[in-house]
Amino acid sequence: MFAVIYRWRLRPGTEQQFTEGWHRVTAAIHAQCGSYGSRLHRADDGTWVAYARWPDEEARERCSAPDPQGVAMMVEAIAERLPETRMQIVDDMLAEPGGDPDTAPGPGAGRG
């Protein structure tokens, strides 16, 4: 599996617009491009961070913006786009809240 970390600084007052655009774009990418979804975070340094998972790097590269209006909402809100980090998942021990710890991924579950 493949993952990417995205980071941005936003223009003051555009946080709601950005999150709405991000939500739209992420939903469209999941539905149309086969991503495994993403999480959006606001970091303690004021930056915004998203973590997205994909079956592989090629799937991500084949995906173009399936929601142009959502992309435009995000672009308008972004003051600075910081470099992204591309990663190959080596192991995966992330368990969702309420999940059964006995069925949590084991060593090598995320290898791809």
Side-chain angles (χ1 to χ4, degrees), residues 60-75:
R60 186 208 182 234
E61 295 305 318
R62 285 191 304 269
C63 184
S64 60
D67 184 336
Q69 185 178 359
V71 170
M73 292 169 71
M74 290 177 65
V75 167

Side-chain angles (χ1 to χ4, degrees), residues 7 22 26 30 44 48 62 70-71 84 87 89-90 106 109:
R7 295 178 57 224
W22 177 88
T26 300
H30 176 69
D44 59 4
W48 290 71
R62 285 191 304 269
V71 170
E84 64 184 44
M87 306 171 292
I89 298 174
V90 175

Side-chain angles (χ1 to χ4, degrees), residues 4 9 30 34 52 58 62 71 73 78 86 108:
V4 181
R9 291 189 198 286
H30 176 69
E58 294 76 24
R62 285 191 304 269
V71 170
M73 292 169 71
I78 295 169
R86 296 169 175 236

Side-chain angles (χ1 to χ4, degrees), residues 82-110:
L82 302 165
E84 64 184 44
T85 303
R86 296 169 175 236
M87 306 171 292
Q88 294 296 324
I89 298 174
V90 175
D91 202 352
D92 187 349
M93 292 297 295
L94 186 63
E96 295 297 328
D100 182 353
D102 293 330
T103 61

